[in-house]
Amino acid sequence: MATFTLLSLFILLSLLSVAHSGSIGINYGRIANNLPPPAQVVQLLKTQGVNRVKLYDTDSNVLTALSGSNISVTVALPNEQLADAAGKQSFTDSWVQSNILTYYPKTQIESIAVGNEVFVDPKNTTKFLVPAMKNMYASLVKYGVAQSIKVSSPVALSALGNSYPSSAGSFKPDLVEPVIKPMLSFLKQTGSYLMVNIYPFFAYAANTDTISLDYALFKDNKGVTDPNNGLVYKSLFEAQIDAVYAAMKAVGFGDVAMAVSETGWPSKGDENEAGAGADNAAAYNGNLVRRVLTGSGTPLKPNEPLDVFLFALFNENQKPGPTSERNYGLFYPNEQKVYDITLTKEGLENGPTMNNGSKNTVVTAPEPAAAPVSGGDVEASKVGNTWCVANEKAAREKLQAALDYACGEGGADCRPIQQGATCYDPDTLEAHASYAFNSYYQKNTRGVGTCDFNGAAYVVTQHPKYGSCKFPTGY
């Protein structure tokens, strides 16, 4: 009987260990003109032991190449199609037929990302998000695949109005009733999860005086204690995740699961992009993989596994914005590693602990570090006032691409240029781009290279003004 009990206990502990370990996937972006063909990429994924991949579209060549690979796939409906998807289920019926059923189940599609960082989309598509998600789900139900394929939408961390301390995490008030609550209600009803894009790099680069690099890179550090609940955080990544959990709980949906749909660290950056570099990128991603595959959940949710998609598979040479945007890849387009890390638990067991990785030890008397600035904003620059405006000589296509970047991945506050808002008029590309460029410039402390956008912008020393719209000087 004693032997049986010990054996049962051993099995139980083993099962618990498996249940609490997370998963690592990777984002396969293709904003580049020099990437290997999809079939070759699938072989690369398999040799690296990657069994989950996230796409930004439903490219036929890619989905066909993934057929029979045993790699689980997340596909995406682009923001440009949200209005159509929200307007009528016949659109999502057709979309599911063409982009899902054509490939599934040979291509193991596990989820659909409806839009991407919609709340910062300069095209003001937020109102279409939840209706589009509901129509997409209804189409999956219609064709009998809703139990196997989840519907979600990646949300940028900038959706939070407050992120420090983690226990005080909250969504921006103007998002809560119109979209956050309906979206979380939908996710709960359908058994899905919230996708969140989390980048400690951005917070560190904007706050190097208050955020420890070791804390951002999962290296050994004294930790940060949440003053409200006493929880100790050994990494900024976990603190940011728990801020989202707290925000969900604050609006009544603390039981909705979460996946990190994007996170990463650039291996190269501009002079003003503090922390960008191959060593730090290897430390962040390498230690993150170890943390996810060998650890449990976060301090707030210790029993919830961490499901994480790294950004990104390749360096993408056609992405606009600062140098860092083109250098998040784990691989060069020739399939050579940018730096050497493992992506599997087996690789971790066979290799050394790298880059002073986090040890998951209990910290008894930590000294709290200074707080990250709420919502990712930064203090106003101490230097003389300057602003960033659009280059009127730049091609419209370049201006539009730069505007999309600034309001999207760049994290600029573009709400004032939405229709009906204070800076919507004049409704011109140049005026809207100027406002977005300046927001990005000020949020990045007017650093060198943050007002360029591949020649689409330049710095001025006189306060710009369009109509009654006043450009902010700092955040």
Side-chain angles (χ1 to χ4, degrees):
M1 186 67 178
T3 303
F4 176 77
T5 302
L6 289 173
L7 179 60
S8 300
L9 178 61
F10 176 78
I11 293 173
L12 176 61
L13 290 174
S14 298
L15 289 173
L16 287 174
S17 175
V18 172
H20 290 170
S21 61
S23 67
I24 289 290
I26 195 162
N27 284 276
Y28 174 18
R30 304 190 320 281
I31 305 178
N33 59 7
N34 57 355
L35 300 183
Q40 203 167 311
V41 173
V42 171
Q43 290 305 310
L44 174 64
L45 292 169
K46 293 169 83 170
T47 61
Q48 296 301 315
V50 176
N51 57 16
R52 299 183 77 189
V53 67
K54 179 170 160 283
L55 310 176
Y56 292 90
D57 53 22
T58 52
D59 183 86
S60 177
N61 292 328
V62 175
L63 291 176
T64 299
L66 285 162
S67 177
S69 65
N70 291 321
I71 296 174
S72 297
V73 185
T74 295
V75 298
L77 174 87
N79 290 356
E80 292 76 14
Q81 296 181 9
L82 283 172
D84 290 332
K88 48 193 176 182
Q89 191 187 323
S90 59
F91 177 87
T92 54
D93 283 350
S94 176
W95 191 91
V96 167
Q97 286 179 312
S98 300
N99 298 287
I100 303 297
L101 301 183
T102 299
Y103 310 98
Y104 181 84
K106 289 185 178 180
T107 299
Q108 295 181 4
I109 299 172
E110 65 173 340
S111 60
I112 301 171
V114 176
N116 184 57
E117 299 190 343
V118 174
F119 305 153
V120 292
D121 184 354
K123 306 250 184 346
N124 196 21
T125 52
T126 296
K127 61 185 178 183
F128 302 122
L129 177 58
V130 176
M133 294 173 76
K134 289 181 176 179
N135 279 345
M136 185 68 75
Y137 179 75
S139 296
L140 295 177
V141 170
K142 179 177 180 177
Y143 296 114
V145 293
Q147 293 298 314
S148 305
I149 301 175
K150 302 299 182 184
V151 174
S152 187
S153 184
V155 174
L157 195 65
S158 60
L160 296 186
N162 185 54
S163 60
Y164 182 87
S166 297
S167 57
S170 61
F171 290 108
K172 289 178 177 176
D174 60 327
L175 294 174
V176 172
E177 295 298 333
V179 63
I180 294 295
K181 281 187 176 180
M183 179 176 63
L184 292 176
S185 176
F186 166 82
L187 296 175
K188 182 176 180 178
Q189 290 171 8
T190 61
S192 189
Y193 50 89
L194 180 66
M195 295 178 174
V196 185
N197 295 344
I198 292 178
Y199 286 91
F201 167 72
F202 293 145
Y204 171 74
N207 300 276
T208 55
D209 57 334
T210 58
I211 297 178
S212 158
L213 183 59
D214 286 348
Y215 182 59
L217 297 178
F218 297 89
K219 292 186 176 182
D220 289 333
N221 63 91
K222 294 181 179 180
V224 174
T225 301
D226 189 311
N228 295 329
N229 56 24
L231 294 176
V232 177
Y233 289 90
K234 299 292 288 181
S235 72
L236 179 56
F237 175 81
E238 293 173 83
Q240 291 177 327
I241 290 178
D242 278 356
V244 180
Y245 276 131
M248 289 196 289
K249 183 178 181 180
V251 294
F253 293 94
D255 53 350
V256 173
M258 187 197 312
V260 178
S261 39
E262 286 185 21
T263 190
W265 197 283
S267 60
K268 187 183 296 185
D270 294 319
E271 183 179 350
N272 67 293
E273 295 186 287
D279 288 345
N280 287 342
Y284 179 80
N285 284 318
N287 290 331
L288 173 60
V289 169
R290 178 175 295 278
R291 174 68 184 82
V292 169
L293 297 182
T294 64
S296 56
T298 64
L300 186 63
K301 297 265 192 176
N303 295 321
E304 291 290 330
L306 293 170
D307 292 322
V308 175
F309 286 86
L310 300 178
F311 186 87
L313 185 56
F314 294 109
N315 284 342
E316 299 170 68
N317 68 344
Q318 292 186 318
K319 295 199 72 174
T323 297
S324 61
E325 285 298 314
R326 294 173 289 283
N327 290 278
Y328 274 90
L330 301 182
F331 293 88
Y332 295 109
N334 65 3
E335 301 183 49
Q336 296 299 308
K337 289 185 176 183
V338 177
Y339 43 83
D340 190 17
I341 64 169
T342 184
L343 300 173
T344 66
K345 193 169 184 178
E346 294 73 21
L348 292 172
E349 291 170 349
N350 295 330
T353 301
M354 62 173 294
N355 297 308
N356 190 21
S358 58
K359 309 298 184 186
N360 301 322
T361 55
V362 177
V363 180
T364 54
E367 297 178 10
V373 178
S374 169
D377 292 341
V378 298
E379 295 181 357
S381 172
K382 302 298 191 296
V383 298
N385 289 343
T386 55
W387 296 266
C388 183
V389 297
N391 180 358
E392 65 279 2
K393 295 181 181 180
R396 289 186 62 82
E397 294 78 10
K398 178 177 283 190
L399 280 177
Q400 186 64 60
L403 171 62
D404 291 345
Y405 168 78
C407 292
E409 295 177 51
D413 182 5
C414 294
R415 290 174 295 175
I417 57 175
Q418 304 299 323
Q419 189 169 8
T422 55
C423 291
Y424 178 75
D425 291 321
D427 180 17
T428 66
L429 176 59
E430 183 181 336
H432 288 182
S434 290
Y435 189 92
F437 295 167
N438 183 65
S439 175
Y440 178 86
Y441 177 62
Q442 303 294 344
K443 280 174 175 283
N444 287 278
T445 61
R446 309 173 200 168
V448 177
T450 59
C451 181
D452 180 64
F453 297 94
N454 290 333
Y458 59 92
V459 174
V460 296
T461 55
Q462 291 187 334
H463 200 152
K465 188 176 182 181
Y466 285 87
S468 60
C469 177
K470 183 179 179 181
F471 281 38
T473 303
Y475 288 84

